[in-house]
Amino acid sequence: MQDQGAAMPYPQYGYPPPNAQSHQDPSMYMAGPPAGMYNPAAQAPMSPPGYYPQQGMPFMPMGGGGGGGDQTNFMPAQFLQNPVMANMAMQYGQSLVGQGKEALDRELNKYVATSRIKYYFSVDTAYVAKKLALLLFPFTHRDWSVKYNPDEPVQPRYELNAPDLYIPAMAFVTYLLIGGVSLGIQERFSPEGLGIQASTALVWAIIEVLAIWVTLYIMNIQTKLTSFDILAFSSYKYVGMIVAVIASFIMPSAYHLALIYVSAATMFFLIRSLKVQILPESSHDSYGEQNTSFTGEGSKRRTYLLLFMGGLQPLMMWWLTRQIARP
């Protein structure tokens, strides 16, 4: 047993005695590195007070870098402000657009001649106004012949009797819009119903063109009419359909009267327009070429075809407007 009055020995590992002298110099924590040691803080330039790099931008010291040379920050705004670089970028973009357009035209020309399509849309305001008046009031028109250049027909803007696709396309879109308005007035509008109306009209237009082409093939009738000509002539009926539906807005009972008039006007216009191309009065067609099928049985077949195309228009006009006109 140890004597309780004896002093306890100081442990070998622990805190130093209070009066023990420290062997470390406090100044070593305040002084800098020795003179020969590399100090990055001394060589890097000091940033001005209150400077902080913007978010999303790399921090770069003000002034020159460690290499001693001046460095310029490359920014997109500086690139666009350079007139030479901006012009080069614009020219490069225009060349890409031109190459894409040429590739698209080249692919389209494999199936459809774009120059031929442009012919049907070569119209102006005066032509559209006169053609609409002719479609609604064709009974007073006298000259139904179509003028032709030596190589190609005259553009619609210079020839009132030439077929175009601008009026049929705009009339088709207007027919869909008027149909939506009519269904909205009757509180029967729905996006699905409008889509069904558009798809139904488009399908019937394709069926009508195919039916005419099949009739031409079965009857063995040679004509200069193209598929675009048939599509244009058979789509002029949308103008009369719009008039009939609008008449039902004013007075529901006026729908049938307006439909009868526009059907007669459309049928008269179509028969007179196609007569000079399908059924010429002489044995020479409208292009000045001899064709013996215009007489005898050939003339009868062409008459039947003409009456079939004309009589089909009132039926299609009634079928496509009976659901959207106000009862």
Side-chain angles (χ1 to χ4, degrees), residues 240-296:
M241 293 163 56
I242 294 171
V243 174
V245 175
I246 292 178
S248 68
F249 294 169
I250 303 173
M251 183 182 301
S253 59
Y255 162 72
H256 296 90
L257 296 177
L259 182 62
I260 292 174
Y261 173 79
V262 295
S263 298
T266 303
M267 184 170 57
F268 182 84
F269 166 81
L270 189 64
I271 292 176
R272 293 303 303 268
S273 297
L274 294 178
K275 181 180 178 181
V276 297
Q277 301 191 39
I278 295 179
L279 189 63
E281 296 179 357
S282 63
S283 60
H284 291 76
D285 60 11
S286 58
Y287 297 85
E289 299 178 358
Q290 182 75 20
N291 197 326
T292 58
S293 63
F294 289 167
T295 60

Side-chain angles (χ1 to χ4, degrees), residues 78-219:
Q78 297 178 358
F79 174 80
L80 295 177
Q81 290 176 0
N82 190 342
V84 178
M85 302 300 294
N87 291 335
M88 292 178 60
M90 184 177 297
Q91 293 177 1
Y92 182 70
Q94 292 177 353
S95 64
L96 289 180
V97 173
Q99 293 176 2
K101 184 177 181 300
E102 292 177 359
L104 181 61
D105 293 341
R106 185 168 56 253
E107 294 297 327
L108 289 177
N109 285 329
K110 294 181 180 179
Y111 307 97
V112 180
T114 56
S115 60
R116 187 61 180 170
I117 296 179
K118 292 179 180 178
Y119 162 80
Y120 291 96
F121 289 91
S122 178
V123 299
D124 54 11
T125 305
Y127 168 82
V128 172
K130 294 179 181 179
K131 195 61 173 268
L132 291 176
L134 178 61
L135 290 171
L136 297 177
F137 308 100
F139 306 104
T140 59
H141 192 63
R142 292 292 179 264
D143 185 11
W144 295 91
S145 61
V146 181
K147 300 179 179 63
Y148 287 86
N149 289 329
D151 298 332
E152 60 182 4
V154 178
Q155 295 181 355
R157 69 173 67 183
Y158 305 117
E159 177 54 52
L160 182 61
N161 297 323
D164 71 282
L165 287 175
Y166 175 81
I167 292 179
M170 295 298 102
F172 181 81
V173 175
T174 307
Y175 158 75
L176 297 179
L177 297 178
I178 293 297
V181 173
S182 179
L183 294 177
I185 294 175
Q186 303 174 47
E187 298 182 355
R188 295 191 296 118
F189 176 80
S190 65
E192 294 80 7
L194 191 62
I196 293 174
Q197 175 190 350
S199 58
T200 301
L202 184 60
V203 169
W204 278 112
I206 296 175
I207 292 176
E208 183 179 1
V209 174
L210 291 178
I212 294 174
W213 267 111
V214 171
T215 305
L216 287 171
Y217 178 77
I218 293 176
M219 292 185 174

